[in-house]
Coordinates of all heavy atoms in Angstrom, one line a residue:
L1 N 141.1 148.0 89.4 CA 142.2 148.8 90.0 C 142.4 148.5 91.5 O 143.5 148.3 92.0 CB 142.0 150.3 89.8 CG 142.5 150.9 88.6 CD1 142.0 152.3 88.5 CD2 144.0 151.0 88.6
V2 N 141.3 148.5 92.2 CA 141.4 148.2 93.7 C 142.0 146.9 93.9 O 142.8 146.7 94.8 CB 140.0 148.4 94.3 CG1 140.0 147.9 95.8 CG2 139.5 149.8 94.2
N3 N 141.5 145.9 93.2 CA 141.9 144.6 93.4 C 143.4 144.4 93.0 O 144.2 143.7 93.6 CB 141.1 143.6 92.6 CG 139.7 143.4 93.1 OD1 139.4 143.6 94.3 ND2 138.7 143.1 92.2
A4 N 143.8 145.2 92.0 CA 145.2 145.1 91.5 C 146.2 145.5 92.5 O 147.3 145.1 92.5 CB 145.3 145.9 90.2
I5 N 145.8 146.5 93.3 CA 146.9 147.1 94.2 C 146.7 146.7 95.7 O 147.4 147.2 96.5 CB 146.8 148.6 94.1 CG1 145.5 149.2 94.6 CG2 147.1 149.1 92.7 CD1 145.5 150.7 94.7
K6 N 145.7 145.8 95.9 CA 145.5 145.3 97.3 C 146.8 144.6 97.7 O 147.4 143.9 96.9 CB 144.4 144.3 97.4 CG 143.0 145.0 97.5 CD 141.9 143.9 97.6 CE 140.6 144.5 97.8 NZ 139.5 143.5 97.9
G7 N 147.2 144.8 98.9 CA 148.4 144.1 99.4 C 149.7 144.6 98.8 O 150.7 143.8 98.8
K8 N 149.8 145.9 98.4 CA 151.0 146.4 97.8 C 151.6 147.6 98.6 O 152.0 148.6 98.0 CB 150.8 146.9 96.4 CG 150.5 145.7 95.4 CD 150.4 146.3 94.0 CE 150.2 145.2 92.9 NZ 150.1 145.7 91.5
P9 N 151.6 147.5 99.9 CA 152.2 148.7 100.7 C 153.6 149.0 100.4 O 154.1 150.1 100.4 CB 151.9 148.3 102.2 CG 151.9 146.8 102.1 CD 151.2 146.4 100.8
Q10 N 154.4 147.8 100.1 CA 155.8 148.0 99.8 C 156.0 148.8 98.5 O 156.9 149.7 98.4 CB 156.5 146.7 99.8 CG 156.7 146.1 101.1 CD 157.5 144.8 101.1 OE1 157.7 144.2 100.0 NE2 157.9 144.3 102.3
Q11 N 155.1 148.4 97.6 CA 155.2 149.1 96.2 C 154.8 150.6 96.4 O 155.4 151.5 95.8 CB 154.4 148.4 95.2 CG 155.0 147.1 94.8 CD 154.2 146.4 93.7 OE1 153.1 146.8 93.4 NE2 154.7 145.3 93.3
A12 N 153.8 150.9 97.3 CA 153.4 152.3 97.6 C 154.6 153.0 98.1 O 154.9 154.2 97.8 CB 152.3 152.3 98.5
E13 N 155.3 152.4 99.1 CA 156.5 153.1 99.6 C 157.6 153.4 98.5 O 158.2 154.4 98.6 CB 157.1 152.2 100.7 CG 156.3 152.1 102.0 CD 156.1 153.5 102.7 OE1 157.1 154.3 102.6 OE2 155.1 153.8 103.3
R14 N 157.7 152.4 97.6 CA 158.7 152.6 96.6 C 158.3 153.8 95.7 O 159.2 154.6 95.3 CB 158.9 151.4 95.7 CG 159.5 150.2 96.5 CD 159.6 149.0 95.6 NE 160.1 147.8 96.4 CZ 159.5 146.6 96.3 NH1 158.5 146.4 95.4 NH2 160.0 145.6 97.0
V15 N 157.0 153.9 95.4 CA 156.6 155.1 94.6 C 156.9 156.3 95.4 O 157.3 157.3 94.9 CB 155.1 154.9 94.3 CG1 154.6 156.2 93.6 CG2 154.8 153.7 93.5
G16 N 156.6 156.3 96.7 CA 156.8 157.5 97.5 C 158.3 157.9 97.5 O 158.6 159.1 97.4
V17 N 159.2 156.9 97.7 CA 160.6 157.2 97.6 C 161.0 157.7 96.3 O 161.8 158.7 96.2 CB 161.4 155.9 98.0 CG1 162.9 156.1 97.7 CG2 161.2 155.5 99.4
A18 N 160.5 157.2 95.3 CA 160.9 157.7 93.9 C 160.4 159.1 93.7 O 161.1 159.9 93.1 CB 160.2 156.7 92.8
I19 N 159.2 159.4 94.2 CA 158.7 160.8 94.1 C 159.6 161.7 94.8 O 160.0 162.8 94.4 CB 157.3 160.9 94.7 CG1 156.2 160.3 93.8 CG2 156.9 162.4 94.9 CD1 154.8 160.2 94.4
E20 N 160.1 161.4 96.0 CA 161.0 162.2 96.8 C 162.3 162.4 96.2 O 162.8 163.5 96.1 CB 161.2 161.6 98.2 CG 159.9 161.6 99.1 CD 160.1 160.8 100.4 OE1 161.3 160.5 100.7 OE2 159.1 160.7 101.2
M21 N 162.8 161.3 95.7 CA 164.1 161.4 95.0 C 164.0 162.3 93.7 O 164.9 163.1 93.4 CB 164.7 160.0 94.7 CG 165.0 159.2 95.9 SD 165.6 157.5 95.5 CE 167.1 157.9 94.6
G22 N 163.0 162.1 93.0 CA 162.8 162.9 91.8 C 162.7 164.3 92.0 O 163.3 165.2 91.4
L23 N 161.8 164.7 93.1 CA 161.7 166.1 93.4 C 163.0 166.7 94.0 O 163.3 167.8 93.6 CB 160.5 166.2 94.4 CG 159.1 166.2 93.8 CD1 158.1 166.2 94.9 CD2 158.9 167.5 93.0
E24 N 163.7 166.0 94.8 CA 164.9 166.5 95.4 C 165.9 166.7 94.2 O 166.6 167.8 94.3 CB 165.5 165.4 96.4 CG 164.7 165.4 97.7 CD 165.1 164.2 98.6 OE1 166.2 163.7 98.3 OE2 164.3 163.8 99.4
A25 N 166.0 165.8 93.3 CA 167.0 166.0 92.2 C 166.5 167.2 91.4 O 167.4 168.0 90.9 CB 167.0 164.7 91.4
L26 N 165.2 167.4 91.2 CA 164.7 168.5 90.3 C 165.1 169.8 91.0 O 165.5 170.7 90.4 CB 163.2 168.3 90.2 CG 162.5 169.3 89.2 CD1 162.9 169.0 87.8 CD2 161.0 169.3 89.4
V27 N 164.8 169.9 92.3 CA 165.2 171.1 93.1 C 166.7 171.4 93.0 O 167.1 172.5 92.7 CB 164.7 171.0 94.5 CG1 165.3 172.2 95.4 CG2 163.2 171.0 94.6
A28 N 167.5 170.4 93.3 CA 168.9 170.6 93.3 C 169.4 171.1 91.9 O 170.3 171.9 91.8 CB 169.6 169.3 93.7
D29 N 168.9 170.4 90.8 CA 169.3 170.8 89.5 C 169.0 172.2 89.1 O 169.9 173.0 88.6 CB 168.7 169.9 88.4 CG 169.0 170.2 87.0 OD1 170.2 170.2 86.7 OD2 168.1 170.6 86.3
H30 N 167.8 172.7 89.5 CA 167.4 174.1 89.2 C 168.2 175.0 90.0 O 168.6 176.1 89.6 CB 165.9 174.3 89.3 CG 165.1 173.8 88.2 ND1 164.9 172.4 88.0 CD2 164.5 174.4 87.2 CE1 164.2 172.2 86.9 NE2 163.9 173.5 86.4
A31 N 168.5 174.7 91.3 CA 169.2 175.5 92.2 C 170.7 175.7 91.8 O 171.3 176.7 91.8 CB 169.1 175.0 93.6
E32 N 171.3 174.6 91.4 CA 172.7 174.6 90.9 C 172.8 175.5 89.7 O 173.7 176.3 89.5 CB 173.1 173.2 90.5 CG 173.4 172.3 91.8 CD 174.7 172.7 92.6 OE1 175.4 173.6 92.1 OE2 174.9 172.0 93.6
R33 N 171.9 175.3 88.7 CA 172.0 176.1 87.5 C 171.7 177.6 87.7 O 172.4 178.4 87.2 CB 171.0 175.6 86.4 CG 171.5 174.3 85.8 CD 170.5 173.9 84.6 NE 169.3 173.4 85.1 CZ 168.2 173.2 84.3 NH1 168.2 173.6 83.1 NH2 167.1 172.6 84.8
A34 N 170.8 177.9 88.7 CA 170.5 179.3 89.0 C 171.7 179.9 89.7 O 172.1 181.1 89.3 CB 169.3 179.4 89.9
A35 N 172.3 179.2 90.6 CA 173.5 179.7 91.3 C 174.6 180.0 90.3 O 175.3 181.1 90.4 CB 174.0 178.8 92.4
A36 N 174.9 179.1 89.4 CA 176.0 179.3 88.5 C 175.7 180.4 87.5 O 176.6 181.2 87.2 CB 176.2 177.9 87.6
T37 N 174.5 180.6 87.1 CA 174.1 181.6 86.2 C 174.2 183.0 86.9 O 174.8 184.0 86.3 CB 172.7 181.4 85.7 OG1 172.6 180.2 85.0 CG2 172.3 182.6 84.7
A38 N 173.7 183.1 88.1 CA 173.8 184.4 88.9 C 175.2 184.8 89.2 O 175.6 185.9 89.0 CB 173.0 184.3 90.1

């Protein structure tokens, strides 16, 4: 595992961006549905 991910900082950044985008979309989706329902 360690050897497999050595030298992959750019891929780590991509994972981080994907996490952020996924969480932001999740929050927005739940907030939109809650607002419409209320």
Side-chain angles (χ1 to χ4, degrees):
L1 268 171
V2 172
N3 291 332
I5 64 174
K6 280 182 179 179
K8 292 185 177 180
Q10 289 184 345
Q11 290 183 354
E13 287 298 326
R14 290 179 188 137
V15 176
V17 170
I19 290 173
E20 291 175 6
M21 291 178 65
L23 278 172
E24 289 169 18
L26 188 71
V27 170
D29 179 60
H30 282 75
E32 288 286 357
R33 282 189 285 165
T37 302

